[in-house]
Amino acid sequence: MPVANVDGLSINYDVQGEGDPLLLIPYLSADHACYAFQLPAYTEHFSCIAIDLPGTGESDKPLGPYSTATYADQVDGFHVAGVSLGAGVAMHLAARHPERVRSLSLHSAWDRSDAYLRTCVETWRTLARSAPTVADMVIQGIFPFCFTPEMYAERPEYVDALVDFVRSRPAQPLDAFLAQSEAALAHDVSAVLGEIEAPALITFGGRDLVCSTRFAEPLTSGIARSELVVFDHLLHAGLHEDPETFNRTTLDFLRRQPALN
């Protein structure tokens, strides 16, 4: 897989498809493969560049601290999509480097960490220190915030497949997870939302607790050219639980954006 050198760091990425470039930024602890359920649909229209943020996958894992703002200076793109932590990076990228961003797709995003979100992340950090691996922490601690009880009850084989998928990816060291989760705890883009010029799609799972629709108003009022979609039946990781609905909605937004010259 190709590797880019940015600020002395090797950043791993994958490129698939043809068309305008679409940068895909992963969520906390995930590598580029977290978009596996989107690529078959997205690559029919876009050249998808999915990256491993520093601290994950095959990218370098420098000592912390990490921040969503620093991550933003390490990536580039035109159409930009991010989920959760990746959405935080995407917002900083659009605010700090507006010339690089043609559109934004922000999923399960938040403007700044509040007490509830910080409590969730601190719980994961505590669990990560005692779990055998970071993957075990993700499966035991983060999955229940991402997927509905109905999916666990009605599609146990799919849950098992997602568990196997997480375990199959390059292991994230504990210190890299702790440094990356500090970026989530410290995330605050509220002061620069008004500097985002690109049109933005903002989506939430209607049943999400960590990044609930409590964050919808500050994001939609802060980003001038934004539109909101709520997936009433989903939690934090709609891109995995219902990729068909997620892909249809997000592609509708992306395909309405002007093509690059």
Side-chain angles (χ1 to χ4, degrees), residues 165-187:
F165 178 75
V166 169
R167 294 196 185 281
S168 74
R169 304 309 304 158
Q172 185 180 35
L174 174 61
D175 59 352
F177 171 77
L178 293 176
Q180 192 179 43
S181 60
E182 287 174 0
L185 290 171
H187 172 67

Side-chain angles (χ1 to χ4, degrees), residues 18 23 35 66 69 77 98 108 130 151 167 174 195 201 203 213 223 229 240:
E18 296 182 359
L23 179 68
Y35 287 100
Y66 302 166
S108 303
S130 60
M151 191 180 91
R167 294 196 185 281
L174 174 61
E195 299 174 22
L201 171 67
T203 76
T213 53
I223 301 175
V229 173
H240 298 320

Side-chain angles (χ1 to χ4, degrees), residues 98-241:
E99 74 284 355
R100 299 184 189 178
V101 179
R102 180 61 63 92
S103 74
L104 274 178
S105 298
L106 307 171
H107 312 298
S108 303
W110 74 104
D111 59 324
R112 60 181 171 184
S113 299
D114 63 7
Y116 184 87
L117 188 147
R118 288 194 298 270
T119 299
C120 292
V121 175
E122 289 289 5
T123 299
W124 300 334
R125 287 165 58 85
T126 299
L127 179 58
R129 292 185 179 97
S130 60
T133 66
V134 171
D136 287 290
M137 179 280 302
V138 170
I139 293 160
Q140 298 168 13
I142 297 182
F143 266 31
F145 288 91
C146 290
F147 306 117
T148 63
E150 291 84 356
M151 191 180 91
Y152 277 86
E154 300 167 9
R155 302 161 66 191
E157 72 291 340
Y158 187 54
V159 176
D160 291 342
L162 290 171
V163 167
D164 292 342
F165 178 75
V166 169
R167 294 196 185 281
S168 74
R169 304 309 304 158
Q172 185 180 35
L174 174 61
D175 59 352
F177 171 77
L178 293 176
Q180 192 179 43
S181 60
E182 287 174 0
L185 290 171
H187 172 67
D188 187 348
V189 74
S190 57
V192 297
L193 285 175
E195 299 174 22
I196 296 176
E197 301 173 0
L201 171 67
I202 299 169
T203 76
F204 290 96
R207 298 167 65 184
D208 193 352
L209 296 175
V210 180
C211 292
S212 74
T213 53
R214 70 187 185 279
F215 294 117
E217 194 282 329
L219 290 177
T220 55
S221 62
I223 301 175
R225 302 168 63 194
S226 61
E227 53 190 86
L228 175 67
V229 173
V230 178
F231 302 114
D232 291 332
H233 62 302
L234 297 173
L235 271 76
H236 194 69
L239 76 168
H240 298 320
E241 181 159 355

